Amino acid sequence: MKNKNLVSISDFTKEEQLRILDLAEKFEKQPRQKILDGYVVATLFFEPSTRTRLSFESASSRLGAKVIGFSDASSSSVIKGETLKDTILMVGGYADVIVMRHPREGAARFAAEVSKVPIINAGDGANQHPTQCLLDLYSIRKTQGTLDNLSVAFVGDLKYGRTVHSLTMALSQYNTTFHLVSPESLKLPGSVKRHIKDHNLEYYQYTDLNDVIPKVDILYMTRVQRERFSDPMEYEKVKDSCILSKSIMTNCKPNMKVLHPLPRVNEINEDVDTTPQAYYFQQAQNGVYVRQAILASILGVI
Amino acid sequence: MEKISRELKVSAIENGTVIDHIPSNRVFQVIRLLDLYDSNEQIFVGVNLESEKLKDGKGIVKVSNRYFADWEIDKISLVAPTATLIEIKDFCIVEKRKVAIPDKIQGIVKCFNPNCITNHQPITTCFNVVDKDDLKLQCHYCEKITAKENIVFL
Ligand SMILES: [Zn+2]
C-alpha cells in the first residue's frame, strides 16, 4: 500500500481494507510506536472538522511524526486566491503525506492526481470519507468478532448521509443483511440499494426504530437534520421515530452495539451512554488506531 | 477506393468531411460543437432530408478541407449518436464510420453537481460513461451522475 492514495473506500481492495484493520489491532495494543520519527504529516482542512483533524493529529503524534497544516482555510492567508493545485504542489514539498478535508466534492481525487505525495481524503463535501468507513468496519469487527453474516441497521438520514452510503458499499462484501430505518423522505438512494441487490443481499425498510431493535447486531445511528425537511411540520412528525433511548432497547440482542459517527444531537438519549450497548465513544477512539494503520501503511514503514 | 455515388455528388466535396445521419433537430448543435460558425471553408448543411434510418428525417453537414480529431467527434456522439462520419480525399471516400459514444469523456461536458470541484477550480472535467443507451456520465472527481437531460456543453 506504500504511496497509495486513499480517496474513496473502493481505492483499497477488500484484502487491503482487512490489512488495515489487522494493523489497527496492533496499534490498539501498543499505540505509542515512533515508527514515523522524522516524517511530516500535513493536515489541510479547507473546512473545519475538529474531530477528524484531532484524530489524525493524535495518530500522527503517537507514531512520532510532526504535523503541519491548517484547520480552516479562512484563517490561512497562504490559501487565499491560490488554486488548490498550487497549494497541494507546495505542501507536497513540505510533507510526506497530505491529509485533506475540503467542502467541494472531488477535491481529494483531483489533489491525488496532481500531488507527488500520497493523499488521504478526510472528507470531500458529501462524497467520501474513507477513514470513517474503515474505523466503522474496525468497530464492527471488534465488537462482533467478525464482519461476516451480520445484521446491520442504519437509522436516520439515509438519503444524504455519506457515512451510510460508503459503509453500505463496504459491508456488501461481507454478506450483510441491511435494516434501513428512516423517515419516508430520507430513504436510502436507489443507487445504493441497487448496489446491495447486485451483491445478492437483502435489505428491509422501516420508518420506526422500535421494529429493528430485536433483529440486529449493529445499530448504526445518524443525525436527522431539520434543514433536510422543506416542511417543518414533517420534521416534527418524524423526528422521534429515529431517536434511541434506553427504554426501547430492552429486547435487543445481547451482542448488539450502538454506533454513531458523532457528533450526536439528540438522536441518542444520554441514558443510553451507560448501557453495555453504547459503543460510539470507543468507536471514535478506534479511529486513532485505524488512522495510525493507514498512515503507517501509506508511508510504507510497516 | 470507392467512388462517390451519384446522389452525394450533387454537392460533392473534393476534400473534407461529411457528417451524415444527424437527427434533424441536432444539426445546429453539431455545427456549434464543431465550432463551424467561424469557419471560412465551404459548408453545406441539410436538414429534414429523407432517410431510411431516421424516421423524422436526417440532417447532413459537409465541410470542405476539414478533418476532425477523435475528441471533436466524441462531442458529436453525445448529441447525435446515429451520425456517420465520411472522410473524403480527391472525391474518394477514404474513411467511413459511425460515431461512437466513448467510454470516457474529457472536457466537453460540465458536471451537473454544483458542488463539484470542477465547477470551482480550473480543472478539465472527466467522466466515465456508465450507460450508453440512456446516456449517464459519472464524474471522475465527485462521482455524481450527470444524466442525458442535464448535459451542458462547455
Ligand atoms: Zn463532478
Side-chain angles (χ1 to χ4, degrees):
Chain A
M1 274 173 271
K2 187 175 181 187
N3 287 325
K4 237 183 142 159
N5 299 296
L6 179 54
V7 175
S8 288
I9 185 67
S10 54
D11 290 348
F12 279 16
T13 63
K14 182 179 173 183
E15 288 65 37
E16 287 172 327
Q17 293 171 19
L18 288 171
R19 226 194 114 208
I20 295 292
L21 306 195
D22 292 343
L23 266 174
E25 255 172 32
K26 292 186 185 148
F27 286 115
E28 179 166 6
K29 288 194 190 97
Q30 205 187 333
R32 287 171 203 82
Q33 300 187 35
K34 301 295 174 198
I35 51 178
L36 289 184
D37 187 26
Y39 284 82
V40 177
V41 174
T43 54
L44 309 187
F45 278 61
F46 296 87
E47 69 174 1
S49 171
T50 308
R51 192 175 316 275
T52 304
R53 185 172 54 83
L54 292 181
S55 178
F56 268 108
E57 294 187 358
S58 170
S60 307
S61 302
R62 283 183 174 166
L63 296 176
K66 180 96 179 80
V67 179
I68 60 169
F70 49 84
S71 55
D72 178 358
S74 64
S75 66
S76 165
S77 57
V78 181
I79 304 312
K80 286 199 185 115
E82 189 177 56
T83 63
L84 176 59
K85 182 181 170 186
D86 286 5
T87 306
I88 294 296
L89 289 176
M90 174 198 69
V91 175
Y94 303 161
D96 300 294
V97 61
I98 295 174
V99 176
M100 67 178 277
R101 186 181 187 98
H102 200 286
R104 305 292 184 195
E105 286 130 32
R109 179 70 63 201
F110 172 70
E113 285 176 355
V114 298
S115 176
K116 56 183 174 184
V117 301
I119 299 285
I120 298 173
N121 184 6
D124 60 326
N127 187 31
Q128 293 281 339
H129 191 6
T131 64
Q132 175 73 45
C133 190
L134 286 164
L135 80 87
D136 291 340
L137 288 176
Y138 182 80
S139 299
I140 293 170
R141 190 175 80 165
K142 182 154 173 72
T143 58
Q144 306 300 324
T146 177
L147 285 169
D148 296 313
N149 312 316
L150 297 172
S151 284
V152 176
F154 289 108
V155 184
D157 177 356
L158 308 188
K159 186 175 182 184
Y160 299 100
R162 69 174 168 201
T163 308
V164 172
H165 303 169
S166 309
L167 190 53
T168 303
M169 306 266 191
L171 282 172
S172 295
Q173 306 170 102
Y174 299 99
N175 197 33
T176 304
T177 304
F178 296 94
H179 299 270
L180 310 171
V181 187
S182 70
E184 201 62 40
S185 58
L186 296 177
K187 282 182 168 175
L188 197 68
S191 59
V192 186
K193 284 187 215 163
R194 212 168 306 124
H195 187 92
I196 296 175
K197 284 286 172 204
D198 287 348
H199 285 75
N200 295 316
L201 301 175
E202 294 296 330
Y203 64 82
Y204 304 93
Q205 301 188 94
Y206 311 78
T207 50
D208 192 337
L209 174 55
N210 286 284
D211 297 340
V212 300
I213 286 179
K215 297 178 183 164
V216 299
D217 305 303
I218 292 290
L219 192 60
Y220 199 104
M221 302 291 298
T222 65
R223 271 191 295 164
V224 175
Q225 289 166 286
R226 189 187 292 268
E227 14 344 332
R228 296 293 186 207
F229 292 86
S230 45
D231 179 2
M233 288 292 289
E234 176 70 12
Y235 173 76
E236 292 304 321
K237 254 193 287 178
V238 302
K239 71 173 199 306
D240 293 340
S241 63
C242 291
I243 290 183
L244 183 66
S245 63
K246 191 176 174 178
S247 60
I248 65 167
M249 285 167 56
T250 47
N251 60 349
C252 73
K253 289 189 184 183
N255 62 308
M256 189 190 88
K257 293 292 175 202
V258 179
L259 270 60
H260 190 296
L262 301 181
R264 69 172 151 179
V265 183
N266 61 348
E267 58 280 359
I268 302 178
N269 202 306
E270 284 201 22
D271 68 7
V272 178
D273 296 357
T274 51
T275 67
Q277 276 70 42
Y279 195 73
Y280 26 92
F281 292 112
Q282 183 62 45
Q283 178 190 0
Q285 189 179 329
N286 291 342
V288 178
Y289 312 131
V290 169
R291 289 174 176 122
Q292 283 182 294
I294 293 166
L295 287 166
S297 301
I298 284 177
L299 289 170
V301 295
I302 214 151
Chain B
M1 256 182 260
E2 189 186 338
K3 271 285 177 193
I4 291 178
S5 62
R6 191 176 296 274
E7 66 265 39
L8 264 170
K9 215 157 192 168
V10 178
S11 54
I13 51 179
E14 185 176 358
N15 291 295
T17 304
V18 176
I19 303 149
D20 199 1
H21 300 109
I22 305 168
S24 276
N25 59 350
R26 298 300 178 91
V27 166
F28 292 100
Q29 230 171 335
V30 167
I31 291 169
R32 189 176 66 83
L33 286 176
L34 292 177
D35 240 343
L36 294 175
Y37 284 126
D38 297 329
S39 171
N40 296 321
E41 300 295 346
Q42 283 189 359
I43 299 172
F44 300 93
V45 178
V47 290
N48 299 323
L49 308 175
E50 267 178 50
S51 166
E52 281 172 30
K53 270 170 54 179
L54 299 173
K55 279 200 297 292
D56 298 330
K58 68 170 185 179
I60 194 165
V61 176
K62 304 179 184 191
V63 191
S64 294
N65 303 316
R66 271 293 303 274
Y67 301 98
F68 296 95
D70 282 349
W71 67 267
E72 291 173 293
I73 294 308
D74 286 352
K75 292 201 259 195
I76 302 177
S77 72
L78 296 181
V79 296
T82 52
T84 47
L85 183 83
I86 301 160
E87 290 188 347
I88 294 167
K89 282 181 181 154
D90 297 327
F91 294 107
C92 286
I93 294 174
V94 293
E95 162 107 33
K96 186 172 180 175
R97 66 177 173 90
K98 285 185 150 184
V99 300
I101 296 174
D103 297 329
K104 207 172 188 161
I105 292 165
Q106 277 182 297
I108 309 170
V109 176
K110 183 174 149 61
C111 181
F112 183 62
N113 172 12
N115 201 34
C116 177
I117 190 73
T118 61
N119 288 317
H120 299 273
Q121 293 273 328
I123 298 171
T124 306
T125 61
C126 180
F127 299 89
N128 292 309
V129 181
V130 289
D131 191 334
K132 289 190 184 183
D133 300 320
D134 182 26
L135 197 60
K136 285 192 176 70
L137 311 179
Q138 182 173 36
C139 179
H140 166 70
Y141 294 101
C142 74
E143 307 182 17
K144 296 282 184 294
I145 302 280
T146 298
K148 195 175 170 179
E149 60 272 19
N150 299 324
I151 288 179
V152 175
F153 292 96
L154 291 168

